[in-house]
Amino acid sequence: MHQFLCLLLLCGVVHGLNNGLARTPPMGFLSWERFRCNLDCKTDPENCVSEHLYKSIADVIVAEGYRDLGYEYVNIDDCWPAEDRDSEGRLQPDPDRFPSGMKNLSQYMHSKGLKLGIYEDFGKKTCAGYPGSEFFLRTDANTFADWEIDLLKFDGCNSDPKDMDVGYPVMSKFLNLTKRPMLFSCEWPLYDHQPNYQAIRENCNIWRNYNDIQDSWDSVLSIINFYGQNKGNFAAVAGPGGFNDPDELIVGDFGLSYYQQKAQFGMWAMLASPLFISADLRNIKPEFKAILQNKRVIAINQDPLGAQATRLYEAGPIQVWLKPLAVNGTYAVAILNTDNQGMPTKVTLTPAQIGVPNPNGINITETFDNVHVGAFKPGQNFTIPINPTGIFLASVVPLS
C-alpha cells in the first residue's frame, strides 16, 4: 500500500487540506465514550448504536438549546457499518440498525440545523472489526459525499503506521475532491511516535494525539498532563482551521464529581479543544447541563484567535495555565488544583505569577459564575480558594 500511496503523491494528487472548516473548535456530540459498540437493539433499543440513538440525541440538542450555543455536529463512531461492502465495493450501514440509510440520517440532521459526522479507519478493518478504508480511500470519500456527511473521524487501527504520513494526506485530498465540505478528524499522531504536527495540520482539521478518554478523573488528569508537557510544542500549531483534540467531554456521565466535571470543561475550553459531548443528553442532570451550556466558558473555547493554552508551571498540586485571547492583551487563566486531600487549597499569586505582568495592573473575573475577583497591581497578591480536583477559571483584562 505504501508504494501505491507514494505514487499518488508523486502524481500531484495530494496538496493538503483547504476546506475552510473548523475556524474555531467544532462542537457537538460523539457517541463512543458513553455508548461504545452497543449492538443490542433488542433488549436495549434506546442505547444501541442505531439511527434511533442519533436522531433522539439530535432532537434533544435542538430542543434543549445546545444547538443554539454551537453544538452542531452529531457524530457516529465505530460499529455502524454492515459487516461487508456492497457488490460495488461501497460501505453500507447495518440494515437492521440503520434501516433508513445514512443519507436519510444526514438529511434528518440538516433539517434540524445540525451536521452528521461518521467514523472510518485507515486500516483493513476498524478498531471494532468492521470494513476499513484500506484500498478504498477514494471510494469511501465519494460515498460519504453522496451521503451528505459533514465530518469524518478517521482512525488508525489495523494499519501500518509507516503508511500514515502518506495515507492521511491522500484521504484529505480525496475528501476535498468530492467538493463537499467535510471536517477531517484524524488519529494520525496517536499512532505516530514522532508526529510531524505541521504536516498533520496541513491535512487535518482536528487530530487526536493521546489515549482514549475513559470515565474517570485519572483519565482526564492524564490527558491534561500530556497537554501540559506539550512534547514537541504541538500547542503552537493550534489555530483557526486546525486543533489538537484531547478527546470527548465526559460531563454528564458517571465517573466525575461535579467539580471535576467543571474542571474538565474549563480545561477543554482553555485547550481550544473540540467540544464533543459523550453523554446521554436525554437524561442529563440540570447541574451538568448547566456546565455544558455555560456561555462564558464556551466563549473562551470559541475565541477567534484559536490559541491553545500552555501550562506555565506546576507548584505541588497546583497548575497554572495561560491562554491568549483575541482582544489584544486579554487572557484566560486556569488554576487547577490536582490535590484530592479533602479541603480547598488557598492559592496566593501575583499578576506576574499568572503570566500577565501588566505595569498598570489587571482585572480578574471568574468565568463560571461571572464573579469579579478584583483589580490588582503588578506586585499585589490575590488569594483564590480552589476545591480538591477543581478549577479556578478566569478572564484577565489589563488595566490602562
Side-chain angles (χ1 to χ4, degrees):
M1 185 178 183
H2 185 76
Q3 290 177 331
F4 168 72
L5 294 170
C6 287
L7 276 174
L8 292 177
L9 282 174
L10 290 171
C11 291
V13 172
V14 177
H15 299 101
L17 190 65
N18 183 25
N19 62 13
L21 300 176
R23 305 312 296 172
T24 59
M27 301 170 60
F29 168 85
L30 177 59
S31 58
W32 180 256
E33 202 293 317
R34 175 60 179 82
F35 295 96
R36 303 288 171 154
C37 190
N38 181 355
L39 307 181
D40 185 8
C41 292
K42 290 184 178 180
T43 64
D44 195 14
E46 293 301 310
N47 299 302
C48 66
V49 176
S50 66
E51 64 181 43
H52 170 73
L53 171 65
Y54 297 102
K55 286 181 176 181
S56 64
I57 292 291
D59 292 345
V60 172
I61 287 174
V62 175
E64 297 295 326
Y66 293 92
R67 180 197 61 189
D68 295 339
L69 294 169
Y71 293 100
E72 62 177 348
Y73 287 94
V74 177
N75 295 311
I76 303 168
D77 211 282
D78 205 346
C79 306
W80 64 267
E83 293 185 359
D84 297 299
R85 292 175 177 268
D86 70 13
S87 60
E88 297 182 9
R90 294 174 301 192
L91 292 164
Q92 49 189 343
D94 182 279
D96 297 321
R97 292 181 286 113
F98 294 87
S100 303
M102 282 299 170
K103 188 167 185 176
N104 176 279
L105 186 56
S106 70
Q107 291 176 342
Y108 185 87
M109 299 301 168
H110 299 157
S111 73
K112 292 181 169 292
L114 300 173
K115 298 178 180 179
L116 182 66
I118 205 164
Y119 168 100
E120 244 304 327
D121 191 286
F122 178 62
K124 295 180 179 66
K125 292 185 178 295
T126 71
C127 297
Y130 291 88
S133 288
E134 186 171 285
F135 300 115
F136 291 91
L137 298 180
R138 190 161 199 171
T139 298
D140 291 352
N142 290 336
T143 297
F144 299 143
D146 290 343
W147 289 347
E148 300 179 8
I149 296 296
D150 302 292
L151 178 152
L152 172 62
K153 176 182 175 181
F154 209 45
D155 213 332
C157 284
N158 302 303
S159 66
D160 186 344
K162 294 193 294 295
D163 290 338
M164 292 183 180
D165 288 354
V166 179
Y168 272 89
V170 168
M171 189 58 170
S172 177
K173 184 60 178 180
F174 285 154
L175 293 173
N176 276 353
L177 287 173
T178 70
K179 305 300 182 184
R180 176 169 184 81
M182 284 184 272
L183 192 151
F184 193 27
S185 171
C186 302
E187 305 225 348
W188 178 3
L190 181 61
Y191 295 87
D192 189 337
H193 296 302
Q194 294 182 311
N196 180 343
Y197 279 103
Q198 189 57 49
I200 291 164
R201 179 186 166 82
E202 290 171 1
N203 292 283
C204 306
N205 293 117
I206 59 176
W207 49 88
R208 287 278 314 285
N209 54 1
Y210 190 63
N211 299 336
D212 284 4
I213 197 167
Q214 307 299 331
D215 195 4
S216 74
W217 176 246
D218 285 346
S219 176
V220 171
L221 186 57
S222 73
I223 294 169
I224 292 170
N225 285 330
F226 176 82
Y227 274 69
Q229 292 160 4
N230 193 24
K231 184 178 179 181
N233 194 24
F234 59 82
V237 302
F243 297 94
N244 295 288
D245 181 2
D247 209 5
E248 300 145 284
L249 292 165
I250 56 172
V251 176
D253 287 330
F254 307 104
L256 302 186
S257 72
Y258 171 74
Y259 293 105
Q260 290 167 349
Q261 292 185 53
K262 289 180 70 175
Q264 193 208 5
F265 194 59
M267 286 305 305
W268 265 229
M270 290 287 289
L271 294 173
S273 166
L275 298 182
F276 289 149
I277 303 165
S278 195
D280 189 349
L281 296 177
R282 302 164 300 184
N283 298 294
I284 194 168
K285 292 182 178 180
E287 61 268 31
F288 304 149
K289 175 183 173 183
I291 292 172
L292 293 168
Q293 294 195 346
N294 189 299
K295 294 179 180 179
R296 292 174 298 275
V297 180
I298 291 172
I300 290 173
N301 175 264
Q302 294 290 296
D303 182 78
L305 184 62
Q308 181 176 313
T310 54
R311 188 168 64 190
L312 299 182
Y313 59 89
E314 296 177 272
I318 301 301
Q319 301 185 13
V320 178
W321 293 72
L322 185 68
K323 174 182 171 71
L325 301 177
V327 176
N328 189 39
T330 63
Y331 295 87
V333 171
I335 306 172
L336 183 69
N337 180 13
T338 65
D339 195 3
N340 60 4
Q341 295 301 306
M343 63 179 290
T345 298
K346 292 182 178 180
V347 181
T348 299
L349 298 166
T350 66
Q353 289 174 315
I354 60 170
V356 194
N358 182 56
N360 297 315
I362 57 173
N363 250 319
I364 301 177
T365 302
E366 191 275 335
T367 302
F368 275 98
D369 297 315
N370 198 31
V371 174
H372 183 236
V373 178
F376 303 94
K377 297 187 181 301
Q380 187 177 358
N381 289 338
F382 58 91
T383 299
I384 304 294
I386 308 175
N387 291 326
T389 60
I391 193 172
F392 173 76
L393 182 66
S395 62
V396 178
V397 179
L399 295 172
S400 55

